[in-house]
Amino acid sequence: MNITDTFVNYLYEVANKALPNHVIDQARLCAIDYVGCAAAGARLMQENVRQFIAAVTRQCGTSTIIGTDQVTTLHNAALINAMNAHATELDDGHRMGMIHLGASIFSALLPLAELEDISQEDVLKGAVLGYEAAVRTAMSMQPSHKIRGYHTSGTCGTIGTAIAVATAFHFTRNEMKSALSAATGGAAGLLELQENDSELKPYNLAHASVAGITAAYVARAGYAGPEDPIGGRRGLLSVLSKDACTDPLTCFEDGHFEIEQIYRKPYAACRHCHPAIEAALAIKHEYSLKVLEIDKIEVETYKLAVEGHDHIIIPGTASAKLSLPFSVALALVKDHVGLEDYSDEVINDPSILDLCQRVSVKISDMLTSWSPQKRAAIIHITTIDGRQFSSEVDYPKGEPENPMTRSDILEKYHELTSGCLINKFYKQYEL
């Protein structure tokens, strides 16, 4: 049996049995976390996004743009909701797969449920299977997939979305394989889209959501795929990775679902910045350190957290959220790293920009060797009078080893949706 058939058989078997209550509850928490991110993204969207929404809502449709009273077509709703959800940099992810999940998967499932009257039970089961497929595919290709420049949230997110929709639609085993096959052909996403002052990083997840829906509909129409689109000579693993490990796609004895291993984000910054943010805040609070006392800051972290995240020139909000030096400086100055803290006014604050210039980032061989099992950072702060303070964070808040509580998740949701319109359909997912 080839790799694709082994993987599809596993997914199909799981999709057709009752899931444990705690796994469904985890999916419900993911749904509410996602809705909060999407609503907040709609509230803070840029003028160019407003113009785009104004154009697409002239098309007939029944799918809601979360956080607004506007509806559009299924595909446009998936596109916009995914972009809004990921633009907040508060959406969930999985450190072993190095992938964001909810923004692409729920952006497909929830508008589909509006359109096709899919039950909440099927939406949540679809999410569990979508996360499973996306994470396992990502783990099979990492870290070489990212090193080669692919954005896993776009590539493997397409596969996860297609499987999520296939599950919610109760596809047959062959239809599920066809959906996965089409999704491998549509898998795309480049990390270059996050460079400089680009605002297009969320587009990778939006494309994954739309392409995953399309792949499922193609399968529903009866199109057959190749024998082994994942493991074939010109298949996913050969083309998009190097030295791929097939164990995540063929071995299923680990006793958990990948949705149980995700992280959630308390800070509105790239996840690679979170260990350093927490370490900086720990020093500030423990020693009552004043910003004016700080001379320099050194951050040691793992290799993949440095490239693309060590910049100190901040041309816009998207760049600020990806910058480790800026996020550390922001945490120390504002004592808070929320969505509102990355406004245009804040990212031009002279006190934050000055401190940002005094933050250096270097690769630690030790911390790199721990990654991705631990994605850690060590902060060293030297004061003007020569005092030195250090702090290490191995598992920042939100990791499965240090989870956000149900109360934390609800507080985040209510903060993000404050002032947003959440319609009756989406309110049913509230806890």
Side-chain angles (χ1 to χ4, degrees):
M1 188 179 294
N2 64 45
I3 294 171
T4 302
D5 283 326
T6 302
F7 190 38
V8 170
N9 286 349
Y10 163 71
L11 295 171
Y12 184 71
E13 179 183 343
V14 173
N16 283 277
K17 68 180 182 181
L19 299 180
N21 289 337
H22 72 275
V23 174
I24 293 298
D25 187 56
Q26 176 77 327
R28 191 183 304 278
L29 289 170
C30 290
I32 201 68
D33 197 46
Y34 158 78
V35 171
C37 291
R43 175 165 49 87
L44 298 177
M45 59 191 166
Q46 303 284 336
E47 181 57 31
N48 56 350
V49 181
R50 295 181 191 278
Q51 294 176 12
F52 178 55
I53 290 176
V56 300
T57 53
R58 289 196 291 268
Q59 303 175 30
C60 295
T62 60
S63 299
T64 302
I65 297 174
I66 298 173
T68 78
D69 61 356
Q70 296 172 298
V71 296
T72 185
T73 63
L74 168 64
H75 284 74
N76 283 334
L79 182 80
I80 294 166
N81 288 336
M83 290 194 72
N84 284 343
H86 189 58
T88 65
E89 281 292 350
L90 280 163
D91 51 320
D92 64 17
H94 191 288
R95 73 173 186 262
M96 304 298 286
M98 305 178 199
I99 183 173
H100 290 281
L101 297 152
S104 58
I105 290 170
F106 281 108
S107 291
L109 284 172
L110 294 174
L112 269 171
E114 282 186 288
L115 178 66
E116 302 234 8
D117 195 28
I118 299 170
S119 72
Q120 185 177 133
E121 178 184 0
D122 285 337
V123 167
L124 297 177
K125 179 176 274 192
V128 173
L129 269 295
Y131 277 53
E132 193 78 3
V135 170
R136 285 182 174 274
T137 306
M139 288 194 299
S140 73
M141 296 195 289
Q142 296 289 36
S144 68
H145 190 58
K146 178 174 182 176
I147 291 170
R148 294 178 74 165
Y150 289 106
H151 191 188
T152 320
S153 304
T155 54
C156 299
T158 303
I159 293 167
T161 301
I163 292 298
V165 175
T167 301
F169 277 161
H170 294 276
F171 274 11
T172 67
R173 185 262 181 208
N174 287 340
E175 287 173 330
M176 182 175 279
K177 181 179 179 180
S178 180
L180 185 147
S181 298
T184 61
L190 298 177
L191 286 171
E192 191 66 25
L193 265 65
Q194 71 183 36
E195 294 300 314
N196 313 117
D197 58 348
S198 173
E199 297 174 341
L200 284 177
K201 179 171 175 261
Y203 177 75
N204 285 331
L205 286 90
H207 174 271
S209 192
V210 173
I213 292 170
T214 302
Y217 273 113
V218 166
R220 199 185 201 188
Y223 287 93
E227 285 298 315
D228 194 7
I230 294 178
R233 182 172 61 88
R234 295 178 293 184
L236 190 78
L237 301 184
S238 296
V239 174
L240 301 189
S241 185
K242 180 183 179 182
D243 302 325
C245 173
T246 61
D247 285 354
L249 305 174
T250 57
C251 301
F252 315 110
E253 305 302 324
D254 43 21
H256 68 263
F257 292 98
E258 295 304 332
I259 199 170
E260 300 177 82
Q261 302 299 310
I262 64 164
Y263 62 76
R264 295 187 176 90
K265 297 171 73 173
Y267 311 118
C270 174
R271 188 59 174 176
H272 294 307
C273 302
H274 286 216
I277 289 171
E278 284 197 9
L281 288 173
I283 291 173
K284 179 180 180 179
H285 294 158
E286 182 175 353
Y287 300 102
S288 301
L289 191 65
K290 303 283 192 300
V291 171
L292 292 177
E293 299 177 286
I294 297 173
D295 178 40
K296 62 182 180 180
I297 303 167
E298 182 181 89
V299 180
E300 296 182 70
T301 191
Y302 52 98
K303 183 176 181 180
L304 289 176
V306 176
E307 184 178 359
H309 304 287
D310 60 347
H311 53 286
I312 58 175
I313 304 300
I314 312 298
T317 56
S319 173
K321 292 175 183 178
L322 293 174
S323 168
L324 208 159
F326 182 87
S327 295
V328 166
L330 173 65
L332 290 168
V333 173
K334 302 282 285 184
D335 204 36
H336 188 262
V337 191
L339 191 57
E340 307 288 349
D341 296 312
Y342 285 94
S343 66
D344 289 334
E345 179 182 358
V346 172
I347 68 168
N348 290 297
D349 184 324
S351 63
I352 299 173
L353 292 177
D354 174 67
L355 188 58
C356 176
Q357 303 302 306
R358 286 181 274 140
V359 180
S360 62
V361 182
K362 74 174 188 178
I363 297 169
S364 162
D365 291 339
M366 177 182 72
L367 301 187
T368 298
S369 71
W370 294 354
S371 175
Q373 284 74 20
K374 290 182 183 179
R375 297 204 296 190
I378 303 172
I379 288 267
H380 306 283
I381 296 180
T382 303
T383 62
I384 293 171
D385 60 5
R387 290 175 295 154
Q388 294 185 327
F389 307 99
S390 297
S391 179
E392 177 180 327
V393 170
D394 293 346
Y395 297 111
K397 186 72 172 177
E399 292 293 337
E401 296 85 356
N402 182 22
M404 292 178 68
T405 65
R406 181 178 291 261
S407 177
D408 292 334
I409 296 165
L410 286 175
E411 182 179 348
K412 174 184 172 182
Y413 170 76
H414 290 303
E415 180 180 331
L416 291 178
T417 56
S418 175
C420 296
L421 177 65
I422 305 297
N423 70 15
K424 183 178 179 181
F425 174 81
Y426 285 92
K427 276 187 172 294
Q428 68 178 307
Y429 289 90
E430 292 183 359
L431 301 174

